[in-house]
Amino acid sequence: MTEILSNAPEGTPETVPPQRQYAPLAANENREDYSLRFAAHSFRKWSPFVVATTALGGIAYLADFAIGASIVLSYGFTSGVLAILAAAVVIFTTGVPIAAACAKSGVDMDLLTRGAGFGYFGSTLTSLVYASFTVIFFSLEGSIMGQAFELALGIPLAVGYLLATLIVLPFALYGMGAVAKMQTWTQPLWLAGLVLPFVVVLVREPGRFADFAAFGGTEGAGSGFSAIGFGFGMGVALSLIGQIGEQADYLRFMPEKTTENKRAWWTAVLAAGPGWVILGAAKQIGGALLAFLALGVVGKTAALEPIAPYVEAVKPALGPVALTFAALFVVVSQIKINTTNAYSGSLSFANFFSRVLHKHPGRVWYVLVNCGIALALMEFGAFGFLNKILGFYSNVAIAWIGAVCADLVIAKPLGLSPKYIEFKRAYLHKINPVGFGSMLVASTVSIAAYFGAFGQFLAAFSPLLALVIAIVLVPTLAVVTRGKYYLARPNTVAGPDQDIDLRATYTCSVCGDPYELPDVADCAKQSGPICSLCCTLDNTCHDLCQETGPVSLGIPTARTP
């Protein structure tokens, strides 16, 4: 058992009444899932396989089908498929260091961003960027489920959208424990449903694959390669780059890497981290194939809605039950992904509002915020503007991911930034111009390019422009600023040079709860340890610790028995 180390002054009682008591929902870690904190070692009780399975359950979304169909129908097979594959390479490459860092450090995407060049308040903007990702894709996936309800059961779209929102709430509200069980139990059915239409087409109409390869799109793009079509298609596919954040929200629960589990650990991290995009790209191409095959039967509009092409593909094998099976597959898929969207969105909104308002009523309330905004987008018909929404969003998302990746891959190995991920307010500047500035410049320039400021070619490749600018600016600004904006003061408690057992537990002097050392800071106002969330919520200290220096926590070399 981990020892709880007292921080009470000598000669005083061990038990000190807490100065803050969290709301019941915020205090229940079985629902809260360390949403704004370092994921404690004691909480990471799942095996690498279970964590990976849970994370991969989140890629069950059928928006991939719609995105792939939209790209290929707009720009033709050659340009569209090459755009999907090129985007997958970029997403995989940038995802590797991010997934590894989150799994190793036990932090989610928001906390990683804080310590990877953005600063404490600088990452507030990226919390909204990430939250918007989860909202956009929740609305797109919910729209697909609503379409399935309408086609299979005759339920009006407006009502179907509401049902699609309500059905995921029980899973998202109960956190990792419920999500892990749901994703594991539904995985076999989902995999069977995913593979079935392509097996049917391969067996019954193998010649249609060649026809698909010669497809020139529905808007006159032609079957040959078009650089402009390739660029625009790649931009739409790159909007999915923010998905690594949702994968990281689960990967932070990976057990500590050891000599015994090293192979399984890395396999899980790579498969469930950047590896999602391998299946994702295959689904986009597969969705485009199904849309092509159904185009003459259901028309262009319905071909972009995954349920209709799916029904047409499985109808020869399933006959009268094809629609029922398709609807079941869609519902299972959308529950799996929108549970992840709601869960990850709640983390981002919680991070944002805790810093802005200095209040935290509990992660579960932000599940409702996330779902409410997404439902409004569904009702306003966001699905009909799929390409435009995703093409614009990718310019901001890729600037953010590119800046974080550049810090992890370039700045940290070169010693331009701290070797570890520091996420606690007590040690961070409000704004770090290295990551935050790089993202701001890259996204501004790329958005201007997207709207045609620099001609059609750069408009098509604006997301790649954002990526290049962000990657170049991060090490450049780190050198110019000499890395002085990464840390407001050294972490003398649990920094990388401290020979301390990180599983040792300290009692927060504000809330009275025990937390592992990586989640604790030395607080000048309290003259003792403070947990990262109490530090975040304090609106009266005015960062006093950054002026007075370190405070002793009492037993800085304690070991866990």
Side-chain angles (χ1 to χ4, degrees):
M1 175 180 287
T2 302
E3 179 185 3
I4 298 180
L5 304 176
S6 171
N7 48 274
E10 185 177 354
T12 62
E14 289 292 313
T15 303
V16 178
Q19 301 171 39
R20 173 182 289 118
Q21 290 185 323
Y22 288 105
L25 290 176
N28 183 353
E29 290 298 353
N30 288 324
R31 291 192 182 186
E32 189 67 3
D33 276 355
Y34 293 84
S35 61
L36 306 183
R37 304 179 181 277
F38 161 81
H41 293 93
S42 60
F43 191 74
R44 301 184 221 172
K45 54 184 179 290
W46 298 276
S47 69
F49 174 78
V50 171
V51 175
T53 300
T54 304
L56 285 174
I59 65 167
Y61 50 83
L62 294 184
D64 263 341
F65 279 29
I67 290 170
S70 178
I71 292 172
V72 174
L73 263 59
S74 296
Y75 307 113
F77 175 85
T78 302
S79 299
V81 169
L82 287 177
I84 291 169
L85 295 177
V89 171
V90 173
I91 291 172
F92 187 93
T93 304
T94 56
V96 171
I98 291 174
C102 289
K104 178 182 177 182
S105 302
V107 296
D108 63 14
M109 195 66 199
D110 180 77
L111 301 190
L112 175 68
T113 301
R114 290 187 200 175
F118 282 70
Y120 182 70
F121 274 108
S123 65
T124 304
L125 175 61
T126 64
S127 291
L128 283 184
V129 172
Y130 182 29
S132 66
F133 173 88
T134 65
V135 167
I136 289 170
F137 279 91
F138 189 109
S139 68
L140 295 179
E141 300 297 340
S143 297
I144 293 170
M145 193 189 297
Q147 293 158 8
F149 286 146
E150 181 183 46
L151 189 60
L153 303 174
I155 297 175
L157 278 178
V159 178
Y161 294 156
L162 178 60
L163 291 177
T165 303
L166 295 176
I167 201 169
V168 305
L169 289 180
F171 304 105
L173 290 174
Y174 276 90
M176 178 65 176
V179 174
K181 291 178 182 178
M182 181 273 291
Q183 298 289 15
T184 302
W185 292 344
T186 56
Q187 204 77 327
L189 175 62
W190 177 75
L191 286 172
L194 177 66
V195 172
L196 179 62
F198 304 105
V199 172
V200 173
V201 172
L202 182 62
V203 171
R204 296 183 60 89
E205 300 179 282
R208 299 305 305 275
F209 287 93
D211 296 337
F212 179 50
F215 180 54
T218 58
E219 299 179 11
S223 58
F225 177 77
S226 165
I228 299 298
F230 170 79
F232 278 120
M234 189 178 179
V236 173
L238 280 173
S239 64
L240 293 167
I241 198 167
Q243 178 65 31
I244 190 60
E246 295 197 346
Q247 305 306 113
D249 287 339
Y250 295 117
L251 288 174
R252 66 195 174 105
F253 298 124
M254 283 287 292
E256 188 175 4
K257 185 176 65 173
T258 64
T259 303
E260 292 75 22
N261 74 358
K262 182 177 180 180
R263 186 184 298 273
W265 193 92
W266 272 112
T267 300
V269 168
L270 291 177
W276 76 266
V277 78
I278 297 174
L279 182 57
K283 286 164 58 189
Q284 289 175 50
I285 297 172
L289 170 65
L290 297 184
F292 164 74
L293 295 176
L295 193 59
V297 180
V298 303
K300 181 181 176 181
T301 300
L304 293 174
E305 301 173 357
I307 179 83
Y310 189 97
V311 170
E312 293 302 316
V314 300
K315 189 181 293 183
L318 300 181
V321 299
L323 179 57
T324 302
F325 183 84
L328 178 62
F329 171 66
V330 170
V331 170
V332 169
S333 299
Q334 304 319 95
I335 290 176
K336 286 168 73 67
I337 177 54
N338 266 354
T339 296
T340 294
N341 282 328
Y343 178 79
S344 294
S346 70
L347 300 181
S348 295
F349 278 117
N351 271 297
F352 174 78
F353 285 108
S354 68
R355 272 170 285 172
V356 173
L357 302 178
H358 296 284
K359 297 182 183 298
H360 181 58
R363 178 191 66 82
V364 297
W365 290 107
Y366 295 110
V367 171
L368 303 179
V369 171
N370 183 279
C371 293
I373 298 173
L375 176 60
L377 287 179
M378 283 186 247
E379 301 292 0
F380 281 113
F383 190 85
F385 303 95
L386 181 66
N387 267 8
K388 292 182 179 179
I389 291 174
L390 300 183
F392 173 80
Y393 176 80
S394 65
N395 290 280
V396 180
I398 200 169
W400 165 40
I401 297 296
V404 172
C405 185
D407 177 81
L408 297 174
V409 175
I410 302 173
K412 290 192 184 306
L414 292 179
L416 301 175
S417 70
K419 298 291 186 183
Y420 73 111
I421 306 300
E422 181 55 78
F423 63 90
K424 295 182 287 294
R425 171 190 176 186
Y427 307 110
L428 294 174
H429 287 284
K430 288 182 173 61
I431 300 288
N432 186 342
V434 175
F436 183 76
S438 297
M439 174 188 167
L440 202 61
V441 172
S443 57
T444 300
V445 173
S446 65
I447 289 172
Y450 177 74
F451 285 108
F454 310 119
Q456 188 180 26
F457 185 82
L458 285 182
F461 288 91
S462 59
L464 281 185
L465 180 64
L467 179 64
V468 171
I469 292 174
I471 290 176
V472 170
L473 276 183
V474 164
T476 301
L477 292 178
V479 170
V480 170
T481 61
R482 299 181 181 179
K484 66 181 181 179
Y485 292 102
Y486 277 93
L487 294 177
R489 65 184 178 104
N491 184 344
T492 59
V493 178
D497 299 326
Q498 304 300 309
D499 182 22
I500 302 176
D501 182 1
L502 298 181
R503 292 174 182 259
T505 307
Y506 281 77
T507 301
C508 175
S509 54
V510 177
C511 66
D513 293 325
Y515 291 98
E516 290 181 1
L517 197 53
D519 202 45
V520 173
D522 53 315
C523 177
K525 180 182 176 184
Q526 300 296 329
S527 298
I530 186 172
C531 70
S532 62
L533 183 53
C534 283
C535 184
T536 289
L537 300 180
D538 193 306
N539 61 356
T540 62
C541 73
H542 307 296
D543 298 326
L544 176 67
C545 62
Q546 296 181 10
E547 299 176 3
T548 60
V551 175
S552 173
L553 298 191
I555 315 177
T557 57
R559 292 289 185 271
T560 301

